[in-house]
Amino acid sequence: MDTLNIEKYGFNHTGNIFRNNPPGALVEKALLNKEGRLSRAGALCIETGERTGRSPDDKYIVDTPAVHDLIAWGNVNRPVSAEVFDQVYDQMIQYLNDKDLYIFDGFAGANRKYQYGFRVINEKASQNLFIRNLLIRPKKEQLKDFKEDFLILVAPGCKVDYKKLGLNSEAAIMINFEKQIILIAGTGYSGEIKKSVFCVMNYLLPQKKIFTMHCSANMGIDGDTALFFGLSGTGKTTLSADPNRRLIGDDEHGWDDNGVFNFEGGCYAKVINLDKDSEPDIYNAIKRNALLENVTLDENGKIDFADKSVTENTRVSYPIDHIKNIVRPISSAPAAKNVIFLSADAFGVLPPVSILTPEQTQYYFLSGFTAKLAGTERGITEPTPTFSACFGQAFLELHPTKYAAELVKKMEKSGAKAYLVNTGWNGTGKRISIKDTRGIIDAILSGAIKTAPTKTIPMFNFEVPTELPGVDSGILDPRDTYADASEWETKAKDLAERFNKNFVKYTGNEAGKALVAAGPQL
């Protein structure tokens, strides 16, 4: 039996090993192992267990002299000792020794110059299918000579002895940059694997002057590239899947001197309330070889996209070629011309679209604002602001200002323009329609917004268009959506104060202080 030399990791393995199995074989094994069931659409459907989303409080970076001065330590990047890491590693190896193992060897980074190899070892066939969908799949000749840069061990059934080790819970996500190993124990949520890879890219590539981005990206027929930054639920995946443009990728990208490139070989989309007419590309991607997480199936295997009884964070992963209109042969494109920040504002304050100055671009990129609506999460009883630097602070190992500085350099070189697009709510109490948001995006990408008449919104000093093709002009100034405009002003003051309070942490130097003027002025 070929052990694929896993003894070098410390294994004394007695089970079967399956390496880079085709998706059909992985689905078959998952069904035999009772990991899930098939939907009528042909996609495998699983539940991730107790954890239906990422566990940020359980993520750790191994603190060693080689990385200590580079990492932005804090709530996002919690330090853990090499000794504790080694104990969790040994526990996982012992746990996996008698299990059937599923190995996937693949790449992150469509640009070969900045590509890294990842070997992922799973205890579940379904999670191996997940990472097969998300990483770039190697060709036969590449697989023959494959050598990983990072090893990822994934064992949902392995619960760490957290009290003894001084950790937060039975789950642990640990990244050891010195040993080039990632451990994911005690959680069945597959997004942890994907985002751990992203964290590695966010650590390595900026040191090579590559701007790494939590964004989706697409390209028009004239080769114009657009980036869509945003946190979960703001519309990154939905808005980049445009039948009139070619998709580069839906979540993770790099920007070097030659242009933009995808890190991944697939997509990971939210499917709560997925509508065939509003999001046809994602809807049609849910077919054989796709993997659904935490959605509800009836007895006949029909998907109920509206059911959030397990979680509101229902998901699907699929290979990028499940989308018809993609950039080929590799997911890369010229430098961006349009940079779009997506913010789902539950306060009803931000305009549907704002044309940003260079200073506002830096301010709102570092702010990374979105908001959670009351009722969307347990314990959320009022609109709750979330400020996540660079629209992805949870995945940034370096200080946010380092990423912001690279954005400025890249945009100045390409002549890109930035826009803040609110995909959330306004004074009507309803979420801004996908139709209107798509109309706004179309106006940005076609250049129509550049010739539109504009006005300035007070307090935030946003320049906003007063009319755009295919967009309800009654929503472009958010004050017009309130029966009483003074209600907007009250909410705007509250939100402005939150922005200002959040931005204080960036005012420790002259550059940060200078950006304060680009933020809300009370």
Side-chain angles (χ1 to χ4, degrees), residues 212-234:
T212 55
M213 306 175 285
H214 186 219
C215 72
S216 59
N218 64 24
M219 185 177 75
I221 56 173
D222 296 327
D224 60 299
T225 301
L227 305 178
F228 302 79
F229 287 87
L231 298 167
S232 178
T234 56

PDB file of all heavy atoms in Angstrom, residues 212-234:
ATOM      1  N   THR A 212      -2.603  41.597  -1.312  1.00  0.00           N
ATOM      2  CA  THR A 212      -3.558  40.497  -1.173  1.00  0.00           C
ATOM      3  C   THR A 212      -4.907  41.056  -0.742  1.00  0.00           C
ATOM      4  O   THR A 212      -4.981  41.983   0.068  1.00  0.00           O
ATOM      5  CB  THR A 212      -3.058  39.464  -0.147  1.00  0.00           C
ATOM      6  OG1 THR A 212      -2.787  40.122   1.098  1.00  0.00           O
ATOM      7  CG2 THR A 212      -1.792  38.798  -0.643  1.00  0.00           C
ATOM      8  N   MET A 213      -5.983  40.468  -1.275  1.00  0.00           N
ATOM      9  CA  MET A 213      -7.298  41.104  -1.159  1.00  0.00           C
ATOM     10  C   MET A 213      -8.409  40.108  -0.833  1.00  0.00           C
ATOM     11  O   MET A 213      -8.494  39.039  -1.446  1.00  0.00           O
ATOM     12  CB  MET A 213      -7.640  41.800  -2.482  1.00  0.00           C
ATOM     13  CG  MET A 213      -6.591  42.761  -2.967  1.00  0.00           C
ATOM     14  SD  MET A 213      -6.973  43.444  -4.615  1.00  0.00           S
ATOM     15  CE  MET A 213      -6.597  42.038  -5.672  1.00  0.00           C
ATOM     16  N   HIS A 214      -9.273  40.493   0.107  1.00  0.00           N
ATOM     17  CA  HIS A 214     -10.508  39.751   0.369  1.00  0.00           C
ATOM     18  C   HIS A 214     -11.589  40.365  -0.515  1.00  0.00           C
ATOM     19  O   HIS A 214     -12.328  41.252  -0.104  1.00  0.00           O
ATOM     20  CB  HIS A 214     -10.879  39.860   1.852  1.00  0.00           C
ATOM     21  CG  HIS A 214     -12.051  39.016   2.229  1.00  0.00           C
ATOM     22  ND1 HIS A 214     -13.022  39.432   3.107  1.00  0.00           N
ATOM     23  CD2 HIS A 214     -12.408  37.767   1.850  1.00  0.00           C
ATOM     24  CE1 HIS A 214     -13.927  38.477   3.255  1.00  0.00           C
ATOM     25  NE2 HIS A 214     -13.583  37.461   2.506  1.00  0.00           N
ATOM     26  N   CYS A 215     -11.629  39.907  -1.741  1.00  0.00           N
ATOM     27  CA  CYS A 215     -12.543  40.516  -2.710  1.00  0.00           C
ATOM     28  C   CYS A 215     -12.875  39.511  -3.800  1.00  0.00           C
ATOM     29  O   CYS A 215     -12.180  38.519  -3.987  1.00  0.00           O
ATOM     30  CB  CYS A 215     -11.904  41.763  -3.349  1.00  0.00           C
ATOM     31  SG  CYS A 215     -10.570  41.393  -4.513  1.00  0.00           S
ATOM     32  N   SER A 216     -13.969  39.784  -4.504  1.00  0.00           N
ATOM     33  CA  SER A 216     -14.250  39.065  -5.745  1.00  0.00           C
ATOM     34  C   SER A 216     -13.778  39.951  -6.897  1.00  0.00           C
ATOM     35  O   SER A 216     -13.489  41.141  -6.709  1.00  0.00           O
ATOM     36  CB  SER A 216     -15.745  38.761  -5.864  1.00  0.00           C
ATOM     37  OG  SER A 216     -16.506  39.960  -5.838  1.00  0.00           O
ATOM     38  N   ALA A 217     -13.694  39.371  -8.087  1.00  0.00           N
ATOM     39  CA  ALA A 217     -13.184  40.138  -9.225  1.00  0.00           C
ATOM     40  C   ALA A 217     -13.761  39.590 -10.520  1.00  0.00           C
ATOM     41  O   ALA A 217     -13.960  38.381 -10.674  1.00  0.00           O
ATOM     42  CB  ALA A 217     -11.655  40.065  -9.269  1.00  0.00           C
ATOM     43  N   ASN A 218     -14.053  40.503 -11.443  1.00  0.00           N
ATOM     44  CA  ASN A 218     -14.467  40.074 -12.781  1.00  0.00           C
ATOM     45  C   ASN A 218     -13.889  41.022 -13.828  1.00  0.00           C
ATOM     46  O   ASN A 218     -13.283  42.047 -13.504  1.00  0.00           O
ATOM     47  CB  ASN A 218     -15.990  39.928 -12.897  1.00  0.00           C
ATOM     48  CG  ASN A 218     -16.749  41.237 -12.708  1.00  0.00           C
ATOM     49  OD1 ASN A 218     -16.223  42.330 -12.919  1.00  0.00           O
ATOM     50  ND2 ASN A 218     -18.020  41.132 -12.331  1.00  0.00           N
ATOM     51  N   MET A 219     -14.083  40.648 -15.088  1.00  0.00           N
ATOM     52  CA  MET A 219     -13.473  41.400 -16.181  1.00  0.00           C
ATOM     53  C   MET A 219     -14.463  41.564 -17.317  1.00  0.00           C
ATOM     54  O   MET A 219     -15.186  40.625 -17.674  1.00  0.00           O
ATOM     55  CB  MET A 219     -12.221  40.669 -16.682  1.00  0.00           C
ATOM     56  CG  MET A 219     -11.427  41.420 -17.735  1.00  0.00           C
ATOM     57  SD  MET A 219      -9.908  40.528 -18.206  1.00  0.00           S
ATOM     58  CE  MET A 219     -10.589  39.218 -19.221  1.00  0.00           C
ATOM     59  N   GLY A 220     -14.509  42.774 -17.891  1.00  0.00           N
ATOM     60  CA  GLY A 220     -15.391  43.051 -19.021  1.00  0.00           C
ATOM     61  C   GLY A 220     -14.771  42.596 -20.339  1.00  0.00           C
ATOM     62  O   GLY A 220     -13.609  42.178 -20.394  1.00  0.00           O
ATOM     63  N   ILE A 221     -15.534  42.717 -21.407  1.00  0.00           N
ATOM     64  CA  ILE A 221     -15.051  42.261 -22.710  1.00  0.00           C
ATOM     65  C   ILE A 221     -13.883  43.093 -23.213  1.00  0.00           C
ATOM     66  O   ILE A 221     -13.101  42.645 -24.051  1.00  0.00           O
ATOM     67  CB  ILE A 221     -16.193  42.269 -23.760  1.00  0.00           C
ATOM     68  CG1 ILE A 221     -16.829  43.663 -23.859  1.00  0.00           C
ATOM     69  CG2 ILE A 221     -17.244  41.224 -23.431  1.00  0.00           C
ATOM     70  CD1 ILE A 221     -17.843  43.786 -24.983  1.00  0.00           C
ATOM     71  N   ASP A 222     -13.735  44.311 -22.677  1.00  0.00           N
ATOM     72  CA  ASP A 222     -12.619  45.171 -23.074  1.00  0.00           C
ATOM     73  C   ASP A 222     -11.399  44.987 -22.171  1.00  0.00           C
ATOM     74  O   ASP A 222     -10.417  45.732 -22.281  1.00  0.00           O
ATOM     75  CB  ASP A 222     -13.051  46.646 -23.037  1.00  0.00           C
ATOM     76  CG  ASP A 222     -14.141  46.949 -24.054  1.00  0.00           C
ATOM     77  OD1 ASP A 222     -14.128  46.311 -25.127  1.00  0.00           O
ATOM     78  OD2 ASP A 222     -14.998  47.793 -23.772  1.00  0.00           O
ATOM     79  N   GLY A 223     -11.461  43.997 -21.265  1.00  0.00           N
ATOM     80  CA  GLY A 223     -10.331  43.738 -20.389  1.00  0.00           C
ATOM     81  C   GLY A 223     -10.280  44.622 -19.167  1.00  0.00           C
ATOM     82  O   GLY A 223      -9.248  44.706 -18.501  1.00  0.00           O
ATOM     83  N   ASP A 224     -11.398  45.299 -18.857  1.00  0.00           N
ATOM     84  CA  ASP A 224     -11.425  46.148 -17.670  1.00  0.00           C
ATOM     85  C   ASP A 224     -11.759  45.300 -16.446  1.00  0.00           C
ATOM     86  O   ASP A 224     -12.759  44.607 -16.400  1.00  0.00           O
ATOM     87  CB  ASP A 224     -12.458  47.274 -17.835  1.00  0.00           C
ATOM     88  CG  ASP A 224     -13.868  46.745 -18.051  1.00  0.00           C
ATOM     89  OD1 ASP A 224     -14.078  46.029 -19.064  1.00  0.00           O
ATOM     90  OD2 ASP A 224     -14.758  47.025 -17.228  1.00  0.00           O
ATOM     91  N   THR A 225     -10.894  45.355 -15.456  1.00  0.00           N
ATOM     92  CA  THR A 225     -11.040  44.543 -14.244  1.00  0.00           C
ATOM     93  C   THR A 225     -11.717  45.349 -13.142  1.00  0.00           C
ATOM     94  O   THR A 225     -11.408  46.517 -12.942  1.00  0.00           O
ATOM     95  CB  THR A 225      -9.663  44.062 -13.751  1.00  0.00           C
ATOM     96  OG1 THR A 225      -9.047  43.295 -14.791  1.00  0.00           O
ATOM     97  CG2 THR A 225      -9.780  43.206 -12.507  1.00  0.00           C
ATOM     98  N   ALA A 226     -12.637  44.687 -12.439  1.00  0.00           N
ATOM     99  CA  ALA A 226     -13.325  45.309 -11.299  1.00  0.00           C
ATOM    100  C   ALA A 226     -13.136  44.431 -10.072  1.00  0.00           C
ATOM    101  O   ALA A 226     -13.186  43.195 -10.157  1.00  0.00           O
ATOM    102  CB  ALA A 226     -14.807  45.491 -11.590  1.00  0.00           C
ATOM    103  N   LEU A 227     -12.914  45.080  -8.919  1.00  0.00           N
ATOM    104  CA  LEU A 227     -12.769  44.376  -7.651  1.00  0.00           C
ATOM    105  C   LEU A 227     -13.951  44.709  -6.751  1.00  0.00           C
ATOM    106  O   LEU A 227     -14.397  45.853  -6.697  1.00  0.00           O
ATOM    107  CB  LEU A 227     -11.474  44.801  -6.955  1.00  0.00           C
ATOM    108  CG  LEU A 227     -10.176  44.667  -7.746  1.00  0.00           C
ATOM    109  CD1 LEU A 227      -9.003  45.186  -6.929  1.00  0.00           C
ATOM    110  CD2 LEU A 227      -9.942  43.226  -8.171  1.00  0.00           C
ATOM    111  N   PHE A 228     -14.430  43.703  -6.023  1.00  0.00           N
ATOM    112  CA  PHE A 228     -15.556  43.874  -5.107  1.00  0.00           C
ATOM    113  C   PHE A 228     -15.125  43.433  -3.708  1.00  0.00           C
ATOM    114  O   PHE A 228     -15.098  42.237  -3.410  1.00  0.00           O
ATOM    115  CB  PHE A 228     -16.761  43.036  -5.555  1.00  0.00           C
ATOM    116  CG  PHE A 228     -17.267  43.347  -6.936  1.00  0.00           C
ATOM    117  CD1 PHE A 228     -16.629  42.846  -8.059  1.00  0.00           C
ATOM    118  CD2 PHE A 228     -18.389  44.145  -7.117  1.00  0.00           C
ATOM    119  CE1 PHE A 228     -17.093  43.127  -9.347  1.00  0.00           C
ATOM    120  CE2 PHE A 228     -18.866  44.432  -8.391  1.00  0.00           C
ATOM    121  CZ  PHE A 228     -18.209  43.923  -9.507  1.00  0.00           C
ATOM    122  N   PHE A 229     -14.759  44.391  -2.865  1.00  0.00           N
ATOM    123  CA  PHE A 229     -14.385  44.088  -1.489  1.00  0.00           C
ATOM    124  C   PHE A 229     -15.637  44.017  -0.631  1.00  0.00           C
ATOM    125  O   PHE A 229     -16.573  44.790  -0.832  1.00  0.00           O
ATOM    126  CB  PHE A 229     -13.474  45.185  -0.928  1.00  0.00           C
ATOM    127  CG  PHE A 229     -12.081  45.183  -1.480  1.00  0.00           C
ATOM    128  CD1 PHE A 229     -11.787  45.861  -2.647  1.00  0.00           C
ATOM    129  CD2 PHE A 229     -11.065  44.503  -0.833  1.00  0.00           C
ATOM    130  CE1 PHE A 229     -10.500  45.877  -3.169  1.00  0.00           C
ATOM    131  CE2 PHE A 229      -9.778  44.504  -1.345  1.00  0.00           C
ATOM    132  CZ  PHE A 229      -9.484  45.190  -2.510  1.00  0.00           C
ATOM    133  N   GLY A 230     -15.634  43.121   0.351  1.00  0.00           N
ATOM    134  CA  GLY A 230     -16.783  43.076   1.254  1.00  0.00           C
ATOM    135  C   GLY A 230     -16.707  41.916   2.213  1.00  0.00           C
ATOM    136  O   GLY A 230     -16.082  40.890   1.928  1.00  0.00           O
ATOM    137  N   LEU A 231     -17.353  42.070   3.348  1.00  0.00           N
ATOM    138  CA  LEU A 231     -17.443  40.996   4.322  1.00  0.00           C
ATOM    139  C   LEU A 231     -18.584  40.061   3.944  1.00  0.00           C
ATOM    140  O   LEU A 231     -19.333  40.320   2.989  1.00  0.00           O
ATOM    141  CB  LEU A 231     -17.653  41.581   5.719  1.00  0.00           C
ATOM    142  CG  LEU A 231     -16.508  42.476   6.205  1.00  0.00           C
ATOM    143  CD1 LEU A 231     -16.924  43.253   7.441  1.00  0.00           C
ATOM    144  CD2 LEU A 231     -15.275  41.648   6.486  1.00  0.00           C
ATOM    145  N   SER A 232     -18.725  38.985   4.686  1.00  0.00           N
ATOM    146  CA  SER A 232     -19.751  37.988   4.397  1.00  0.00           C
ATOM    147  C   SER A 232     -21.138  38.618   4.357  1.00  0.00           C
ATOM    148  O   SER A 232     -21.507  39.400   5.234  1.00  0.00           O
ATOM    149  CB  SER A 232     -19.715  36.901   5.470  1.00  0.00           C
ATOM    150  OG  SER A 232     -20.720  35.945   5.254  1.00  0.00           O
ATOM    151  N   GLY A 233     -21.908  38.285   3.325  1.00  0.00           N
ATOM    152  CA  GLY A 233     -23.281  38.763   3.222  1.00  0.00           C
ATOM    153  C   GLY A 233     -23.455  40.110   2.557  1.00  0.00           C
ATOM    154  O   GLY A 233     -24.572  40.612   2.439  1.00  0.00           O
ATOM    155  N   THR A 234     -22.344  40.717   2.094  1.00  0.00           N
ATOM    156  CA  THR A 234     -22.459  42.034   1.459  1.00  0.00           C
ATOM    157  C   THR A 234     -22.683  41.949  -0.047  1.00  0.00           C
ATOM    158  O   THR A 234     -23.043  42.953  -0.659  1.00  0.00           O
ATOM    159  CB  THR A 234     -21.198  42.885   1.731  1.00  0.00           C
ATOM    160  OG1 THR A 234     -20.044  42.169   1.293  1.00  0.00           O
ATOM    161  CG2 THR A 234     -21.058  43.192   3.212  1.00  0.00           C
TER     162      THR A 234
END
